[in-house]
Amino acid sequence: MGSCPYCGGNTIEWRAIEGGGTLYSWTTVHHAFLSDRRTSLPYIVGLVEFADAPGVRLITNIVETGSGRLFERMPLVPIIGLGPQPTVKFRPVETG
Ligand SMILES: [Zn+2]
């Protein structure tokens, strides 16, 4: 495992978290670099900060919404995909 990006320390351990987070930043991809992504255009790539691990952010896909509905600090929940290639995507928290 690597080292702490803030102090350089290497006493790092894995810790379980709830998984919910907020949207830190995002972009909408309209031109796919990889050919197998062309069928899902446009798609949203977001930077998600975990609620119970402040400062820890994950680059991931934001799904089940449109880019026009996103806002800074939007609450998100993870969608875990299990399989040969496990995935973690995020979608907005259900409201109303
Ligand atoms: Zn540190």
Side-chain angles (χ1 to χ4, degrees):
M1 199 161 11
S3 57
C4 174
Y6 300 104
C7 69
N10 58 8
T11 52
I12 296 175
E13 62 182 10
W14 289 102
R15 190 179 303 169
I17 59 173
E18 289 294 319
T22 57
L23 188 58
Y24 186 86
S25 185
W26 68 93
T27 189
T28 303
V29 177
H30 294 277
H31 302 280
F33 182 73
L34 300 173
S35 60
D36 64 342
R37 292 289 183 95
R38 286 191 185 128
T39 55
S40 54
L41 290 171
Y43 59 88
I44 301 165
V45 176
L47 188 56
V48 175
E49 185 164 66
F50 291 101
D52 49 0
V56 177
R57 300 177 194 132
L58 177 71
I59 297 172
T60 183
N61 287 113
I62 310 298
V63 297
E64 298 179 24
T65 188
S67 59
R69 305 172 77 180
L70 300 177
F71 56 90
E72 200 176 320
R73 295 285 166 210
M74 181 182 214
L76 301 167
V77 292
I79 301 170
I80 311 294
L82 300 176
Q85 293 267 327
T87 59
V88 181
K89 299 176 180 178
F90 281 78
R91 65 164 174 77
V93 171
E94 304 278 349
T95 54

